[in-house]
mmCIF file of all heavy atoms in Angstrom:
data_model
loop_
_atom_site.group_PDB
_atom_site.id
_atom_site.type_symbol
_atom_site.label_atom_id
_atom_site.label_comp_id
_atom_site.label_asym_id
_atom_site.label_seq_id
_atom_site.Cartn_x
_atom_site.Cartn_y
_atom_site.Cartn_z
ATOM 1 N N ALA A 1116 0.851 -1.215 -0.033
ATOM 2 C CA ALA A 1116 -0.014 0.014 -0.002
ATOM 3 C C ALA A 1116 0.874 1.222 0.001
ATOM 4 O O ALA A 1116 2.113 1.151 0.049
ATOM 5 C CB ALA A 1116 -0.885 -0.012 1.269
ATOM 6 N N THR A 1117 0.222 2.403 -0.051
ATOM 7 C CA THR A 1117 1.019 3.660 -0.057
ATOM 8 C C THR A 1117 1.946 3.772 1.094
ATOM 9 O O THR A 1117 1.578 3.339 2.220
ATOM 10 C CB THR A 1117 -0.005 4.857 -0.029
ATOM 11 O OG1 THR A 1117 -0.940 4.745 -1.053
ATOM 12 C CG2 THR A 1117 0.705 6.187 -0.117
ATOM 13 N N SER A 1118 3.124 4.230 0.850
ATOM 14 C CA SER A 1118 4.165 4.250 1.885
ATOM 15 C C SER A 1118 3.834 5.148 3.053
ATOM 16 O O SER A 1118 3.001 6.089 2.864
ATOM 17 C CB SER A 1118 5.508 4.671 1.306
ATOM 18 O OG SER A 1118 5.481 6.040 0.861
ATOM 19 N N GLU A 1119 4.436 4.928 4.142
ATOM 20 C CA GLU A 1119 4.178 5.683 5.356
ATOM 21 C C GLU A 1119 4.572 7.145 5.152
ATOM 22 O O GLU A 1119 3.917 8.075 5.611
ATOM 23 C CB GLU A 1119 4.997 5.109 6.496
ATOM 24 C CG GLU A 1119 4.885 5.873 7.812
ATOM 25 C CD GLU A 1119 5.846 5.396 8.854
ATOM 26 O OE1 GLU A 1119 6.366 4.289 8.743
ATOM 27 O OE2 GLU A 1119 6.094 6.112 9.804
ATOM 28 N N THR A 1120 5.593 7.323 4.323
ATOM 29 C CA THR A 1120 6.100 8.711 4.085
ATOM 30 C C THR A 1120 5.030 9.531 3.424
ATOM 31 O O THR A 1120 4.776 10.595 3.853
ATOM 32 C CB THR A 1120 7.371 8.633 3.120
ATOM 33 O OG1 THR A 1120 8.330 7.723 3.705
ATOM 34 C CG2 THR A 1120 7.978 9.993 2.965
ATOM 35 N N ASN A 1121 4.467 9.011 2.346
ATOM 36 C CA ASN A 1121 3.393 9.712 1.631
ATOM 37 C C ASN A 1121 2.140 9.939 2.465
ATOM 38 O O ASN A 1121 1.465 10.936 2.358
ATOM 39 C CB ASN A 1121 3.043 9.006 0.309
ATOM 40 C CG ASN A 1121 4.123 9.163 -0.665
ATOM 41 O OD1 ASN A 1121 4.918 10.059 -0.689
ATOM 42 N ND2 ASN A 1121 4.182 8.108 -1.569
ATOM 43 N N ALA A 1122 1.843 8.960 3.337
ATOM 44 C CA ALA A 1122 0.617 9.097 4.162
ATOM 45 C C ALA A 1122 0.782 10.118 5.266
ATOM 46 O O ALA A 1122 -0.211 10.639 5.752
ATOM 47 C CB ALA A 1122 0.346 7.707 4.801
ATOM 48 N N THR A 1123 1.995 10.461 5.691
ATOM 49 C CA THR A 1123 2.204 11.358 6.835
ATOM 50 C C THR A 1123 2.499 12.741 6.422
ATOM 51 O O THR A 1123 2.023 13.720 6.980
ATOM 52 C CB THR A 1123 3.377 10.817 7.711
ATOM 53 O OG1 THR A 1123 3.086 9.436 7.968
ATOM 54 C CG2 THR A 1123 3.434 11.581 8.992
ATOM 55 N N TYR A 1124 3.340 12.938 5.464
ATOM 56 C CA TYR A 1124 3.775 14.257 5.011
ATOM 57 C C TYR A 1124 4.228 14.249 3.563
ATOM 58 O O TYR A 1124 4.616 13.182 3.006
ATOM 59 C CB TYR A 1124 4.843 14.840 5.855
ATOM 60 C CG TYR A 1124 5.782 13.813 6.444
ATOM 61 C CD1 TYR A 1124 6.726 13.138 5.660
ATOM 62 C CD2 TYR A 1124 5.696 13.464 7.771
ATOM 63 C CE1 TYR A 1124 7.513 12.142 6.187
ATOM 64 C CE2 TYR A 1124 6.491 12.503 8.337
ATOM 65 C CZ TYR A 1124 7.401 11.819 7.576
ATOM 66 O OH TYR A 1124 8.238 10.870 8.082
ATOM 67 N N SER A 1125 4.136 15.317 2.863
ATOM 68 C CA SER A 1125 4.436 15.405 1.440
ATOM 69 C C SER A 1125 5.879 15.740 1.254
ATOM 70 O O SER A 1125 6.473 16.611 1.850
ATOM 71 C CB SER A 1125 3.558 16.491 0.811
ATOM 72 O OG SER A 1125 3.865 16.659 -0.543
ATOM 73 N N VAL A 1126 6.511 14.971 0.309
ATOM 74 C CA VAL A 1126 7.853 15.277 -0.092
ATOM 75 C C VAL A 1126 7.824 15.542 -1.620
ATOM 76 O O VAL A 1126 7.195 14.796 -2.404
ATOM 77 C CB VAL A 1126 8.796 14.020 0.132
ATOM 78 C CG1 VAL A 1126 10.237 14.385 -0.308
ATOM 79 C CG2 VAL A 1126 8.813 13.677 1.620
ATOM 80 N N SER A 1127 8.410 16.679 -2.037
ATOM 81 C CA SER A 1127 8.285 17.019 -3.451
ATOM 82 C C SER A 1127 9.115 16.062 -4.279
ATOM 83 O O SER A 1127 10.109 15.410 -3.779
ATOM 84 C CB SER A 1127 8.825 18.464 -3.658
ATOM 85 O OG SER A 1127 10.182 18.503 -3.440
ATOM 86 N N LYS A 1128 8.758 15.924 -5.572
ATOM 87 C CA LYS A 1128 9.545 15.058 -6.492
ATOM 88 C C LYS A 1128 10.985 15.544 -6.561
ATOM 89 O O LYS A 1128 11.901 14.774 -6.743
ATOM 90 C CB LYS A 1128 8.842 15.117 -7.894
ATOM 91 C CG LYS A 1128 7.552 14.330 -7.999
ATOM 92 C CD LYS A 1128 7.873 12.804 -7.910
ATOM 93 C CE LYS A 1128 6.575 12.053 -8.072
ATOM 94 N NZ LYS A 1128 6.847 10.567 -7.951
ATOM 95 N N LYS A 1129 11.185 16.890 -6.520
ATOM 96 C CA LYS A 1129 12.545 17.408 -6.623
ATOM 97 C C LYS A 1129 13.412 16.952 -5.441
ATOM 98 O O LYS A 1129 14.547 16.604 -5.615
ATOM 99 C CB LYS A 1129 12.490 18.918 -6.680
ATOM 100 C CG LYS A 1129 13.814 19.606 -6.956
ATOM 101 C CD LYS A 1129 13.729 21.110 -6.984
ATOM 102 C CE LYS A 1129 12.883 21.613 -8.136
ATOM 103 N NZ LYS A 1129 12.887 23.090 -8.269
ATOM 104 N N GLN A 1130 12.780 16.950 -4.231
ATOM 105 C CA GLN A 1130 13.520 16.485 -3.021
ATOM 106 C C GLN A 1130 13.786 15.010 -3.099
ATOM 107 O O GLN A 1130 14.886 14.560 -2.756
ATOM 108 C CB GLN A 1130 12.698 16.858 -1.802
ATOM 109 C CG GLN A 1130 12.624 18.348 -1.466
ATOM 110 C CD GLN A 1130 11.721 18.648 -0.311
ATOM 111 O OE1 GLN A 1130 10.779 17.923 -0.057
ATOM 112 N NE2 GLN A 1130 11.950 19.750 0.355
ATOM 113 N N SER A 1131 12.805 14.235 -3.572
ATOM 114 C CA SER A 1131 13.013 12.828 -3.717
ATOM 115 C C SER A 1131 14.169 12.513 -4.675
ATOM 116 O O SER A 1131 15.062 11.655 -4.409
ATOM 117 C CB SER A 1131 11.700 12.127 -4.183
ATOM 118 O OG SER A 1131 10.661 12.260 -3.300
ATOM 119 N N LEU A 1132 14.184 13.176 -5.798
ATOM 120 C CA LEU A 1132 15.175 12.971 -6.827
ATOM 121 C C LEU A 1132 16.528 13.354 -6.302
ATOM 122 O O LEU A 1132 17.549 12.665 -6.561
ATOM 123 C CB LEU A 1132 14.815 13.752 -8.124
ATOM 124 C CG LEU A 1132 15.797 13.533 -9.313
ATOM 125 C CD1 LEU A 1132 15.780 12.104 -9.723
ATOM 126 C CD2 LEU A 1132 15.406 14.461 -10.449
ATOM 127 N N LEU A 1133 16.601 14.444 -5.624
ATOM 128 C CA LEU A 1133 17.856 14.996 -5.084
ATOM 129 C C LEU A 1133 18.468 13.957 -4.101
ATOM 130 O O LEU A 1133 19.731 13.665 -4.194
ATOM 131 C CB LEU A 1133 17.678 16.337 -4.400
ATOM 132 C CG LEU A 1133 18.956 16.884 -3.745
ATOM 133 C CD1 LEU A 1133 20.007 17.182 -4.816
ATOM 134 C CD2 LEU A 1133 18.561 18.202 -2.964
ATOM 135 N N THR A 1134 17.604 13.462 -3.157
ATOM 136 C CA THR A 1134 18.131 12.507 -2.152
ATOM 137 C C THR A 1134 18.634 11.194 -2.794
ATOM 138 O O THR A 1134 19.594 10.616 -2.406
ATOM 139 C CB THR A 1134 17.110 12.251 -1.073
ATOM 140 O OG1 THR A 1134 15.873 11.780 -1.592
ATOM 141 C CG2 THR A 1134 16.940 13.440 -0.143
ATOM 142 N N LEU A 1135 17.851 10.788 -3.834
ATOM 143 C CA LEU A 1135 18.271 9.531 -4.526
ATOM 144 C C LEU A 1135 19.574 9.684 -5.233
ATOM 145 O O LEU A 1135 20.488 8.893 -5.063
ATOM 146 C CB LEU A 1135 17.149 9.158 -5.556
ATOM 147 C CG LEU A 1135 17.453 7.891 -6.429
ATOM 148 C CD1 LEU A 1135 17.560 6.648 -5.584
ATOM 149 C CD2 LEU A 1135 16.425 7.759 -7.466
ATOM 150 N N ILE A 1136 19.711 10.790 -5.987
ATOM 151 C CA ILE A 1136 20.932 11.013 -6.778
ATOM 152 C C ILE A 1136 22.080 11.242 -5.832
ATOM 153 O O ILE A 1136 23.180 10.646 -6.055
ATOM 154 C CB ILE A 1136 20.779 12.235 -7.738
ATOM 155 C CG1 ILE A 1136 19.751 11.867 -8.847
ATOM 156 C CG2 ILE A 1136 22.086 12.574 -8.330
ATOM 157 C CD1 ILE A 1136 19.406 13.043 -9.721
ATOM 158 N N MET A 1137 21.859 11.987 -4.796
ATOM 159 C CA MET A 1137 22.992 12.260 -3.850
ATOM 160 C C MET A 1137 23.376 10.999 -3.147
ATOM 161 O O MET A 1137 24.633 10.651 -2.915
ATOM 162 C CB MET A 1137 22.596 13.307 -2.836
ATOM 163 C CG MET A 1137 22.717 14.773 -3.361
ATOM 164 S SD MET A 1137 22.649 15.966 -1.991
ATOM 165 C CE MET A 1137 24.174 15.568 -1.129
ATOM 166 N N GLY A 1138 22.347 10.270 -2.631
ATOM 167 C CA GLY A 1138 22.666 9.063 -1.868
ATOM 168 C C GLY A 1138 23.403 8.010 -2.617
ATOM 169 O O GLY A 1138 24.466 7.466 -2.188
ATOM 170 N N VAL A 1139 22.893 7.722 -3.814
ATOM 171 C CA VAL A 1139 23.549 6.698 -4.686
ATOM 172 C C VAL A 1139 24.928 7.161 -5.117
ATOM 173 O O VAL A 1139 25.906 6.402 -5.140
ATOM 174 C CB VAL A 1139 22.668 6.310 -5.878
ATOM 175 C CG1 VAL A 1139 23.421 5.386 -6.840
ATOM 176 C CG2 VAL A 1139 21.375 5.637 -5.402
ATOM 177 N N GLY A 1140 25.000 8.495 -5.424
ATOM 178 C CA GLY A 1140 26.257 9.083 -5.857
ATOM 179 C C GLY A 1140 27.302 8.967 -4.774
ATOM 180 O O GLY A 1140 28.479 8.636 -5.050
ATOM 181 N N LEU A 1141 26.951 9.241 -3.509
ATOM 182 C CA LEU A 1141 27.880 9.215 -2.404
ATOM 183 C C LEU A 1141 28.234 7.704 -2.070
ATOM 184 O O LEU A 1141 29.399 7.473 -1.663
ATOM 185 C CB LEU A 1141 27.239 9.833 -1.207
ATOM 186 C CG LEU A 1141 27.187 11.352 -1.309
ATOM 187 C CD1 LEU A 1141 26.238 11.958 -0.203
ATOM 188 C CD2 LEU A 1141 28.617 11.975 -1.145
ATOM 189 N N LEU A 1142 27.337 6.792 -2.220
ATOM 190 C CA LEU A 1142 27.722 5.381 -2.110
ATOM 191 C C LEU A 1142 28.699 4.972 -3.194
ATOM 192 O O LEU A 1142 29.703 4.266 -2.875
ATOM 193 C CB LEU A 1142 26.445 4.531 -2.196
ATOM 194 C CG LEU A 1142 25.480 4.654 -0.996
ATOM 195 C CD1 LEU A 1142 24.205 3.881 -1.298
ATOM 196 C CD2 LEU A 1142 26.063 4.148 0.299
ATOM 197 N N LEU A 1143 28.506 5.447 -4.412
ATOM 198 C CA LEU A 1143 29.437 5.095 -5.529
ATOM 199 C C LEU A 1143 30.794 5.762 -5.287
ATOM 200 O O LEU A 1143 31.799 5.324 -5.778
ATOM 201 C CB LEU A 1143 28.853 5.592 -6.857
ATOM 202 C CG LEU A 1143 27.688 4.706 -7.340
ATOM 203 C CD1 LEU A 1143 27.046 5.452 -8.554
ATOM 204 C CD2 LEU A 1143 28.160 3.388 -7.808
ATOM 205 N N PHE A 1144 30.755 6.932 -4.564
ATOM 206 C CA PHE A 1144 31.959 7.687 -4.286
ATOM 207 C C PHE A 1144 32.963 6.994 -3.346
ATOM 208 O O PHE A 1144 34.112 7.310 -3.339
ATOM 209 C CB PHE A 1144 31.651 9.059 -3.819
ATOM 210 C CG PHE A 1144 32.845 9.939 -3.558
ATOM 211 C CD1 PHE A 1144 33.635 10.362 -4.577
ATOM 212 C CD2 PHE A 1144 33.199 10.311 -2.231
ATOM 213 C CE1 PHE A 1144 34.772 11.228 -4.300
ATOM 214 C CE2 PHE A 1144 34.272 11.071 -1.958
ATOM 215 C CZ PHE A 1144 35.069 11.596 -3.019
ATOM 216 N N VAL A 1145 32.396 6.089 -2.516
ATOM 217 C CA VAL A 1145 33.230 5.450 -1.504
ATOM 218 C C VAL A 1145 34.489 4.773 -2.045
ATOM 219 O O VAL A 1145 35.607 5.021 -1.542
ATOM 220 C CB VAL A 1145 32.391 4.483 -0.590
ATOM 221 C CG1 VAL A 1145 33.276 3.650 0.331
ATOM 222 C CG2 VAL A 1145 31.346 5.215 0.185
ATOM 223 N N PRO A 1146 34.382 3.863 -3.129
ATOM 224 C CA PRO A 1146 35.599 3.293 -3.621
ATOM 225 C C PRO A 1146 36.556 4.303 -4.231
ATOM 226 O O PRO A 1146 37.792 4.160 -4.221
ATOM 227 C CB PRO A 1146 35.080 2.304 -4.689
ATOM 228 C CG PRO A 1146 33.716 2.675 -4.937
ATOM 229 C CD PRO A 1146 33.174 3.302 -3.708
ATOM 230 N N ILE A 1147 35.965 5.404 -4.848
ATOM 231 C CA ILE A 1147 36.785 6.482 -5.411
ATOM 232 C C ILE A 1147 37.508 7.235 -4.274
ATOM 233 O O ILE A 1147 38.764 7.498 -4.311
ATOM 234 C CB ILE A 1147 35.968 7.504 -6.166
ATOM 235 C CG1 ILE A 1147 35.234 6.780 -7.342
ATOM 236 C CG2 ILE A 1147 36.795 8.657 -6.721
ATOM 237 C CD1 ILE A 1147 34.199 7.618 -8.030
ATOM 238 N N PHE A 1148 36.852 7.473 -3.149
ATOM 239 C CA PHE A 1148 37.440 8.114 -1.949
ATOM 240 C C PHE A 1148 38.615 7.290 -1.492
ATOM 241 O O PHE A 1148 39.677 7.768 -1.124
ATOM 242 C CB PHE A 1148 36.353 8.271 -0.866
ATOM 243 C CG PHE A 1148 36.856 8.854 0.446
ATOM 244 C CD1 PHE A 1148 36.851 10.239 0.639
ATOM 245 C CD2 PHE A 1148 37.282 8.058 1.462
ATOM 246 C CE1 PHE A 1148 37.287 10.791 1.810
ATOM 247 C CE2 PHE A 1148 37.748 8.574 2.638
ATOM 248 C CZ PHE A 1148 37.744 9.945 2.811
ATOM 249 N N LYS A 1149 38.393 5.906 -1.427
ATOM 250 C CA LYS A 1149 39.403 5.037 -0.902
ATOM 251 C C LYS A 1149 40.638 5.077 -1.906
ATOM 252 O O LYS A 1149 41.789 5.036 -1.385
ATOM 253 C CB LYS A 1149 38.892 3.604 -0.834
ATOM 254 C CG LYS A 1149 39.887 2.568 -0.337
ATOM 255 C CD LYS A 1149 39.323 1.191 -0.387
ATOM 256 C CE LYS A 1149 40.366 0.181 0.242
ATOM 257 N NZ LYS A 1149 41.609 0.260 -0.518
ATOM 258 N N THR A 1150 40.423 5.088 -3.150
ATOM 259 C CA THR A 1150 41.492 5.068 -4.169
ATOM 260 C C THR A 1150 42.311 6.324 -4.062
ATOM 261 O O THR A 1150 43.543 6.296 -4.127
ATOM 262 C CB THR A 1150 40.965 4.915 -5.576
ATOM 263 O OG1 THR A 1150 40.197 3.670 -5.665
ATOM 264 C CG2 THR A 1150 42.087 4.801 -6.575
ATOM 265 N N ILE A 1151 41.650 7.496 -3.884
ATOM 266 C CA ILE A 1151 42.334 8.804 -3.871
ATOM 267 C C ILE A 1151 43.074 8.959 -2.597
ATOM 268 O O ILE A 1151 44.252 9.373 -2.606
ATOM 269 C CB ILE A 1151 41.294 9.897 -4.071
ATOM 270 C CG1 ILE A 1151 40.684 9.861 -5.422
ATOM 271 C CG2 ILE A 1151 41.938 11.296 -3.829
ATOM 272 C CD1 ILE A 1151 39.531 10.796 -5.699
#
């Protein structure tokens, strides 16, 4: 069913996209951080 997040408070599509891109990007950055 509809997630708890949507049922309780509204998150804009822009905020959702930003957190997804940033989160996955920062996870991908970990091996780069280690190499550098």
